[in-house]
Amino acid sequence: MSLYDLTMAEAAARLKSGDISAVELTESCLARIGETEGALNAYVTVTGEEALEAAAAAGKELAAGRVRGPMHGIPVCVKDLCDMTGLATTASSKVRHDHMADSDAAVVARLKDAGAVIVGKTHTHEFAYGISTPTTRNPWNTDCIPGGSSGGTAASVAARGCFAGIGTDTGGSIRIPAALCGLVGLKPTYGRVSRAGVTSLSWSLDHVGPLARTVEDAANMLGVLAGYDARDPGSVDLPVPDYTAGMNDGIAGLRLGRPTNFYFDGMDDEARGLVEAALAALQAAGAEIVPVELPLAKTYMAVEFGLCLPEASAYHEKELRTRADLYGEDVRTFLEAGELIPATDYIRALRVREQIKQGWAALMAPGGVDAIVAPTVPAAAARVDRDMFTWPDGEEETTTNAYVRHSCPANVTGLPSITVPCGFTAAGLPVGFQTIGRPYAEADIVRIARSYEATVDWSARAPDPR
């Protein structure tokens, strides 16, 4: 086993004991990036020299017994929406090629304060406005998309180029690539993690969170990232718990809602079977699987796009007037479409979102279910040249619509959601299922996800995209 094959928790334990050094660990990851980057193109920039300097500093502290926490000396990557001092924040766009950061985003600063070693900045779908990350390939099959918009982060973490990474999630952009690349992706409650210094797509839907190989690693990373920040108007001032404290307590007696509508309406049969098997495993672990009907389900996609399109267009208004030719065609089309949405429609979307949030709150009120369990994606990773799915009933759906449909309810409601791998298709592509919980109940969904993860070995599988 190479050092990069360790989980983050395993690597942290060996660093703490002195069995390995942070420099050795970082060198292992940088070598792996060198082996796989030609096939994946996950990185905008690899910060090898800076990473080795940070690793050396971390190693001295660890050797002196000054352990900052579970990420001290751990190599990670950062999505290139996040500012890092002295580096360009390109958002994988020609529009931002000259946008140099003079300070760190809040999440980058928190990683550095925790002693993490940042090995580079990863590609996103341009300005996070898409579900494929077209510059990057899926490490399980390089003819397929890695998912978006955090596809670069997902591809690198899955290929063992680093142990975990930062993603953002506006319509599923942590959970979609995590599911398509066989990872754990954790979208926290809206306001739990600061977005200061992170390029926005849609301010009322944007979330920042971790992608990792295991539930424990994602939970530990969230513990580093979470916390109040006055620079983010959406930030919530609440204590940050240890998200791993009750992780292994089991789920006996929990009531988990399985939607009877919306999530299972359009799905690939193979993906459906893997998700159903995961729900059966949760039931075998002691949870009660309760059928639930999701409220106002026909409005979810309309509200997601009714909010995202005009908010994104407002953010890009100046550049759209002065640099429109530098945008990719798909993103420019979305931005131009957002300018055509009347303010009255935007207000209606805001009002309906509040009704949706109230409906979901009622589902998970005392006496209701403790969380919702559902597919993360309706199918495994699409080929890079595929833009439509055809479902078993003959219905067709665009890939964008299909992937966003399964993930956007947690963005519209702002509720926390975690995806974990639940198996592989016959073609060897991973699929995930997600658990959506009550506000700020990340510890609860971590416990549910860990209960399932403990029964399988999906996280031990690794792709070899060289």
Side-chain angles (χ1 to χ4, degrees):
M1 176 184 285
S2 298
L3 293 181
Y4 58 67
D5 283 314
L6 298 169
T7 68
M8 190 168 81
E10 291 168 343
R14 293 184 65 176
L15 287 169
K16 186 176 180 180
S17 71
D19 181 46
I20 60 173
S21 73
V23 169
E24 291 173 326
L25 195 65
T26 302
E27 287 175 337
S28 177
C29 287
L30 291 172
R32 180 61 174 170
I33 292 171
E35 293 173 350
T36 60
E37 187 61 3
L40 297 181
N41 192 29
Y43 283 87
V44 175
T45 182
V46 177
T47 54
E49 184 176 343
E50 297 88 342
L52 289 171
E53 290 176 358
K60 290 180 181 178
E61 289 187 331
L62 289 163
R66 297 193 294 272
V67 181
R68 299 194 192 188
M71 298 195 70
H72 200 172
I74 299 294
V76 299
C77 64
V78 173
K79 184 176 182 177
D80 195 29
L81 296 182
C82 305
D83 286 348
M84 284 183 63
T85 303
L87 295 178
T89 306
T90 72
S92 293
S93 176
K94 295 178 182 178
V95 176
R96 294 283 290 272
H97 72 278
D98 56 353
H99 182 83
M100 299 299 295
D102 56 10
S103 61
D104 289 333
V107 288
V108 172
R110 288 179 182 271
L111 286 174
K112 289 181 177 180
D113 288 345
V117 176
I118 299 174
V119 297
K121 301 189 76 177
T122 52
H123 276 296
T124 171
H125 201 114
E126 185 179 17
F127 285 107
Y129 217 166
I131 52 85
S132 66
T133 313
T135 50
T136 304
R137 293 293 181 264
N138 191 304
W140 295 96
N141 183 335
T142 54
D143 290 329
C144 295
I145 65 170
S149 62
S150 306
T153 294
S156 183
V157 176
R160 275 49 178 172
C162 57
F163 291 88
I166 292 290
T168 65
D169 195 311
T170 304
S173 292
I174 288 172
R175 291 160 293 146
I176 294 168
L180 299 187
C181 291
L183 299 174
V184 176
L186 178 48
K187 183 199 79 65
T189 309
Y190 185 83
R192 175 55 97 177
V193 173
S194 174
R195 300 163 301 172
V198 178
T199 302
S200 177
L201 174 57
S202 173
W203 74 270
S204 73
L205 297 168
D206 292 341
H207 301 68
V208 182
L211 292 88
R213 296 178 209 156
T214 70
V215 172
E216 180 180 13
D217 291 352
N220 274 324
M221 190 170 183
L222 179 60
V224 167
L225 301 178
Y228 175 66
D229 183 357
R231 294 171 297 172
D232 178 356
S235 184
V236 177
D237 192 0
L238 290 172
V240 177
D242 178 354
Y243 294 112
T244 65
M247 184 179 65
N248 295 308
D249 288 351
I251 57 173
L254 289 185
R255 289 166 52 83
L256 305 181
R258 179 202 184 281
T260 58
N261 59 333
F262 189 75
Y263 277 103
F264 292 90
D265 291 347
M267 277 195 78
D268 171 80
D269 284 340
E270 206 170 4
R272 180 193 299 272
L274 293 171
V275 173
E276 295 285 15
L279 302 191
L282 293 174
Q283 187 172 32
E288 179 185 359
I289 305 299
V290 181
V292 295
E293 182 174 353
L294 300 178
L296 299 170
K298 292 182 178 180
T299 68
Y300 297 163
M301 290 290 282
V303 170
E304 169 73 23
F305 286 108
L307 297 174
C308 184
L309 265 69
E311 289 182 0
S313 297
Y315 182 86
H316 286 269
E317 184 177 13
K318 179 180 177 181
E319 286 75 17
L320 198 57
R321 299 288 184 274
T322 58
R323 296 183 170 190
D325 59 314
L326 298 181
Y327 286 97
E329 182 179 356
D330 60 334
V331 172
R332 186 175 66 252
T333 298
F334 274 133
L335 292 173
E336 290 171 346
E339 293 196 315
L340 302 177
I341 295 178
T344 50
D345 286 353
Y346 177 70
I347 296 301
R348 288 190 188 98
L350 289 172
R351 294 176 66 182
V352 175
R353 175 166 62 180
E354 289 306 309
Q355 294 175 329
I356 294 169
K357 291 170 68 175
Q358 290 172 17
W360 278 66
L363 284 178
M364 290 186 276
V369 297
D370 297 294
I372 302 294
V373 286
T376 308
V377 290
R383 294 180 64 89
V384 295
D385 57 355
R386 183 177 186 177
D387 58 8
M388 296 289 293
F389 284 119
T390 301
W391 303 126
D393 63 2
E395 289 292 319
E396 290 190 335
E397 187 175 22
T398 66
T399 54
T400 295
N401 196 81
Y403 287 131
V404 173
R405 173 167 54 85
H406 274 65
S407 51
C408 75
N411 297 94
V412 170
T413 59
L415 296 173
S417 177
I418 186 170
T419 180
V420 292
C422 62
F424 289 77
T425 67
L429 293 171
V431 172
F433 84 95
Q434 63 183 319
T435 302
I436 304 170
R438 299 182 177 109
Y440 313 108
E442 287 85 1
D444 291 342
I445 62 172
V446 161
R447 178 160 59 102
I448 295 165
R450 174 56 191 155
S451 179
Y452 170 75
E453 182 188 56
T455 69
V456 295
D457 65 352
W458 308 127
S459 64
R461 296 196 184 187
D464 192 1
R466 292 176 294 178

